[in-house]
Amino acid sequence: MNIPQARRVCIDLHCHSRASDGTLTPAELVERAGARGVTHLALTDHDTIDGLPEAAGAASAAGVTMINGVELSCVWKSQTIHVVGLDFDVESTAFLQALAGQHDNRWRRARTIAERLERVCVPGLLELATAQAGGDVPGRPHFARALVESGVVKDQNQAFKRYLGAGKPGDVKAFWPEIDTVVGWITRAGGVAVLAHPRKYKMTATKLRSLVSDFRRSGGRGIEVSTSGQSSGDLGFLAELCRREGLLASQGSDFHFPGASWCELGVITPLPDGLSPVWHHFRQPVGQAGA
Ligand code: MN
Ligand code: MN
Ligand code: MN
C-alpha cells in the first residue's frame, strides 16, 4: 500500500548569529541550517533582532522557513534568566523600544565596569574593550582581553582573578528587567514567550518549578523541553514539568558556532509524546496534519 508521507519537518527554534554572540553571519547560519535539513528556523540572538532581515533574505534559497525570534535577558529572584520570544510582530513599536532599552542596559553595564576598572588600573579601557568586541557592547571577556592587551595582566585568567571575577571591581551585575516585564513585551507584540534552557540555571527542582509557575502566571506560554547538551533525565523531567503546568513545548539547538559536536543546527532530541508543540500555535502553524 502506498501511504502518502507528510513532508518531514525539522524545527530549530533557538540559535545565534554574529548579530549577538554567534560566529556565523545570519545568511551563513540560514544556509548551514538548510544544508542540514532544517525546514523551520528561529534566529534568536541575544536582545536584538538585527539579524532577522538578512536571515529572511537567505531563507528561500536555503529552503528554510523563518520564524521571528529573539532571546531576551531578564531576572527572576535576582538570577539572570533567558526568555525566547517567537513569532512576534517585528513592526511593533513598543517591542522595538523595549529592544532598544535592552541594548542600553548592556551599555550601561559596560560603562560601569569601565569606570570602576579605570579607577584601579588603566584609562581608556572602554574603548579598548569595545574594540575587542568588534565595536559592539563589550562584556567581561572583552574587558579581560583589553586588560591583557594593555599589559595590566599577563592573561585572561589573571584578569578575572584580579579585576573581573566575583567580588572584584569589574564584577558588575547586569541591569536586566524582571521576567514578567519581558514576557509582557513578547506577548503584547503578538508573540509566544518560551523559557529558554531551564536546566542551565542549575536550580533545584523545587526552585525551577517555582520559576516556571511564576513565568506562566506572567503570561509565559512555553518552555524549551529539548535543547543541546541535556541528559535523557533532563528531557523527562522537563516534559513532565511542561505537562503539569499546561505549557507548550519548544525545542532548539542553541547553536552558536560550527564545530561543536554536542551542538549543531537541527540536531535535537525529539519531544517526548503527549506534549503540545509550540509551533502548532504559531500564526501560521507548522507541521500539523494538512499544514
Ligand atoms: Mn549566547
Ligand atoms: Mn541562553
Ligand atoms: Mn541562546
Side-chain angles (χ1 to χ4, degrees):
M1 198 167 69
N2 187 15
I3 302 165
Q5 295 289 303
R7 180 171 166 252
R8 209 183 67 83
V9 294
C10 175
I11 299 167
D12 191 335
L13 300 176
H14 189 155
C15 64
H16 298 270
S17 76
R18 213 182 272 175
S20 63
D21 58 349
T23 59
L24 302 183
T25 65
E28 287 166 348
L29 183 90
V30 171
E31 281 155 24
R32 186 177 182 92
R36 304 206 157 240
V38 174
T39 58
H40 296 79
L41 182 73
L43 170 58
T44 55
D45 276 309
H46 295 286
D47 303 295
T48 180
I49 56 169
D50 288 355
L52 299 193
E54 184 185 317
S60 74
V64 176
T65 301
M66 296 302 297
I67 289 117
N68 291 336
V70 71
E71 181 173 18
L72 297 175
S73 307
C74 58
V75 290
W76 178 78
K77 295 196 194 297
S78 58
Q79 183 169 351
T80 301
I81 301 293
H82 288 171
V83 173
V84 164
L86 297 172
D87 197 38
F88 48 80
D89 175 11
V90 285
E91 311 269 284
S92 160
T93 319
F95 193 64
L96 295 176
Q97 274 167 3
L99 291 176
Q102 291 290 84
H103 187 73
D104 290 346
N105 287 337
R106 279 188 194 272
W107 275 110
R108 271 202 297 149
R109 174 173 183 250
R111 280 195 296 267
T112 307
I113 294 174
E115 280 163 19
R116 290 194 184 178
L117 292 183
E118 282 176 2
R119 235 173 282 151
V120 294
C121 50
V122 279
L125 195 59
L126 185 58
E127 288 69 28
L128 291 173
T130 305
Q132 289 290 345
D136 201 353
V137 190
R140 280 190 296 172
H142 306 114
F143 279 102
R145 277 185 249 149
L147 288 171
V148 176
E149 189 193 39
S150 50
V152 176
V153 290
K154 66 173 172 20
D155 56 29
Q156 293 190 43
N157 267 340
Q158 204 174 57
F160 273 88
K161 225 175 198 165
R162 293 190 185 167
Y163 297 107
L164 293 158
K168 300 299 169 191
D171 174 27
V172 177
K173 294 280 168 282
F175 302 111
W176 302 122
E178 291 290 326
I179 194 166
D180 55 340
T181 302
V182 304
V183 170
W185 293 341
I186 295 164
T187 309
R188 282 193 295 278
V192 182
V194 169
L195 181 68
H197 43 62
R199 281 314 227 176
K200 260 200 187 164
Y201 309 120
K202 309 260 176 249
M203 291 177 183
T204 61
T206 310
K207 193 167 182 194
L208 186 55
R209 284 194 195 100
S210 162
L211 163 62
V212 167
S213 83
D214 280 0
F215 173 74
R216 187 177 50 73
R217 266 197 297 275
S218 64
R221 294 187 53 207
I223 65 173
E224 269 178 7
V225 171
S226 190
T227 182
S228 300
Q230 288 189 153
S231 69
S232 61
D234 289 335
L235 190 73
F237 172 81
L238 292 173
E240 178 52 30
L241 185 60
C242 189
R243 277 187 215 104
R244 198 199 312 214
E245 288 285 335
L247 288 162
L248 305 174
S250 191
Q251 64 182 33
S253 62
D254 206 359
F255 176 88
H256 281 70
F257 53 87
S261 58
W262 66 91
C263 184
E264 182 53 80
L265 287 163
V267 180
I268 296 159
T269 310
L271 291 178
D273 288 339
L275 297 174
S276 182
V278 66
W279 51 90
H280 289 179
H281 299 264
F282 289 160
R283 286 174 289 183
Q284 302 213 320
V286 178
Q288 270 175 314

